[in-house]
């Protein structure tokens, strides 16, 4: 094993969106034993760096669901951005249909100024169809969105369209399942961008050449590592592309069954330090292999 790539939310991060001491130590132990570490996340590069610094981890970073890849020294290895005409089409559609969204560059996350009130309205509508849906869900989602590094607010779509920035990903969020499914179905047919899903309440649009799997392959090539010597760990649909590329694929214990079924291994839950648990298992196996019989 020469390279371990791990997703953040639902995988390396616990439900409080923190890297536990156990997980950070396990990653450092792997590095001390010559294994390269990569973070592969839907979050922006700045946000991922912020999380790594806080946990004292120095890792290669695949951000924005594979739209960008950076070496651990901060060198940009790959960049796939959204073309202007698709950006304009999607923004018009999002405003017409009143969706909350995050539009990301490598550094910033742009939110419409009325994001919170749209999410609250969606939640009220969701509660009509599903009275058991709990207020915690919206509170957690709002705190997750607003706690990211580099948040900026826009007054209107022209703030985005008239900027000269490179946008990597557009994440659409709704608690209202029928509204969310309407969007997912629409963008399944929209062939100019790829759609990935990282949780129950979102879908994300990226350049159709961007995926965690493609960027992981690019990083492995850059490091001179064969894909069979790569382990990928994750918990959701946006991790499937890297599960397919890596020699060892690991689903967290908290992942849905259809994710577990396509992985070669299943670890324990993110809240029980599933990443550390698997790394220790892997390291023990490697040690056994290198000890002469
Ligand atoms: Ca995840």
């Amino acid at each position: 094993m020469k390279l371990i790539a791990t997703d953040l939310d639902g995988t390396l991060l616990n439900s409080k969106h923190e890297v536990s001491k156990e997980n950070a130590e396990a990653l450092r132990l792997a590095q001390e034993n010559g294994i390269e570490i990569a973070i592969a996340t839907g979050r922006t590069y700045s946000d991922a760096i912020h999380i790594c610094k806080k946990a004292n981890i120095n890792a290669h970073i695949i951000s924005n669901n594979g739209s960008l890849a950076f070496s651990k020294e901060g060198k940009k290895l790959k960049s796939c951005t959204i073309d202007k005409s698709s950006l304009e089409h999607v923004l018009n559609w999002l405003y017409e249909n009143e969706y909350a969204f995050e539009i990301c560059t490598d550094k910033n996350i742009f939110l419409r100024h009325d994001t919170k009130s749209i999410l609250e309205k969606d939640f009220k509508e969701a509660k009509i169809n599903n009275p058991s849906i709990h207020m915690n869900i919206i509170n957690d989602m709002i705190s997750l969105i607003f706690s990211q590094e580099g948040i900026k607010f826009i007054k209107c779509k022209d703030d985005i369209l008239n900027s000269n920035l490179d946008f990597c990903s557009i994440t659409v969020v709704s608690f209202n399942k029928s509204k969310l499914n309407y969007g997912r179905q629409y963008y399944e047919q929209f062939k100019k961008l790829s759609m990935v899903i990282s949780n129950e309440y979102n879908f994300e649009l990226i350049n159709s050449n961007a995926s965690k799997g493609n960027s992981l392959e690019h990083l492995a090539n850059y490091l001179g590592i064969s894909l069979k010597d790569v382990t990928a760990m994750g918990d959701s649909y946006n991790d499937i592309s890297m599960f397919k590329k890596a020699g060892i694929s690991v689903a967290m214990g908290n992942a849905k069954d259809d994710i577990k079924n396509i992985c070669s291994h299943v670890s324990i839950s993110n809240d029980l330090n599933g990443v550390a648990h698997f790394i220790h298992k892997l390291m023990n196996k490697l040690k056994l292999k290198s000890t002469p019989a």
Side-chain angles (χ1 to χ4, degrees):
M1 186 46 50
K2 293 179 181 157
L3 168 62
I4 296 174
T6 172
D7 165 51
L8 285 178
D9 293 272
T11 304
L12 186 64
L13 304 182
N14 58 26
S15 323
K16 291 179 194 153
H17 312 293
E18 293 164 346
V19 181
S20 67
K21 197 171 123 263
E22 289 84 350
N23 278 348
E25 276 171 3
L27 291 177
R28 286 193 292 269
L29 178 74
Q31 278 179 323
E32 283 159 19
N33 282 275
I35 298 173
E36 298 279 352
I37 300 297
I39 301 293
T41 179
R43 291 178 182 246
T44 63
Y45 177 62
S46 301
D47 199 36
I49 283 284
H50 177 75
I51 289 168
C52 286
K53 276 197 177 141
K54 220 170 135 190
N56 193 19
I57 302 164
N58 179 23
H60 306 287
I61 306 235
I62 292 167
S63 71
N64 305 71
N65 273 317
S67 302
L68 298 167
F70 293 84
S71 75
K72 63 182 177 206
E73 295 81 20
K75 183 180 165 196
K76 194 186 265 184
L77 304 176
K78 196 179 175 217
S79 167
C80 287
T81 54
I82 295 175
D83 64 280
K84 289 280 177 238
S85 87
S86 299
L87 184 71
E88 190 170 355
H89 178 97
V90 174
L91 268 175
N92 285 334
W93 188 91
L94 291 171
Y95 271 90
E96 261 166 41
N97 293 285
E98 271 215 328
Y99 281 84
F101 57 80
E102 304 168 80
I103 294 196
C104 304
T105 64
D106 54 348
K107 292 184 184 69
N108 291 110
I109 298 156
F110 295 87
L111 306 176
R112 53 194 287 175
H113 69 280
D114 52 355
T115 296
K116 213 175 152 201
S117 68
I118 294 178
L119 288 175
E120 283 165 354
K121 194 176 159 203
D122 282 0
F123 185 79
K124 270 184 203 144
E125 280 162 11
K127 204 150 174 74
I128 295 168
N129 294 324
N130 177 13
S132 67
I133 185 168
H134 203 273
M135 200 62 202
N136 284 348
I137 291 172
I138 181 167
N139 290 338
D140 285 353
M141 183 64 80
I142 287 173
S143 81
L144 177 63
I145 291 173
F146 288 86
S147 68
Q148 297 172 103
E149 275 291 297
I151 295 278
K152 285 193 170 181
F153 291 95
I154 54 168
K155 283 199 199 83
C156 62
K157 61 191 177 196
D158 288 341
D159 290 351
I160 295 290
L161 295 173
N162 295 337
S163 79
N164 266 329
L165 298 168
D166 284 331
F167 295 95
C168 309
S169 55
I170 305 169
T171 305
V172 183
V173 182
S174 180
F175 298 105
N176 181 344
K177 283 281 162 77
S178 60
K179 184 176 172 181
L180 187 69
N181 285 334
Y182 175 74
R184 284 176 176 175
Q185 277 160 16
Y186 181 84
Y187 284 102
E188 236 162 37
Q189 309 297 322
F190 186 79
K191 297 296 175 201
K192 285 160 120 189
L193 297 172
S194 283
M195 182 180 71
V196 285
I197 293 170
S198 62
N199 76 43
E200 217 179 320
Y201 305 106
N202 77 9
F203 62 89
E204 187 160 346
L205 304 168
I206 51 178
N207 181 305
S208 49
N209 292 315
S211 71
K212 287 190 182 186
N214 284 350
S215 280
L216 182 57
E217 185 170 18
H218 192 90
L219 175 67
N221 283 338
Y222 170 78
L223 296 169
I225 292 173
S226 156
L227 282 168
K228 69 173 175 21
D229 296 323
V230 174
T231 294
M233 301 182 163
D235 72 311
S236 195
Y237 301 99
N238 62 336
D239 300 313
I240 293 175
S241 64
M242 60 173 187
F243 291 151
K244 285 185 178 164
K245 299 270 186 188
I248 295 180
S249 49
V250 186
M252 289 296 109
N254 47 291
K256 290 215 169 92
D257 284 344
D258 48 352
I259 298 294
K260 288 178 181 166
N261 289 340
I262 59 166
C263 285
S264 60
H265 296 74
V266 176
S267 187
I268 54 178
S269 148
N270 63 326
D271 279 328
L272 298 171
N273 309 311
V275 168
H277 177 82
F278 192 81
I279 288 176
H280 289 304
K281 241 168 93 174
L282 201 68
M283 304 284 290
N284 284 337
K285 228 180 187 174
L286 293 174
K287 268 180 206 146
L288 283 177
K289 258 194 193 165
S290 60
T291 311

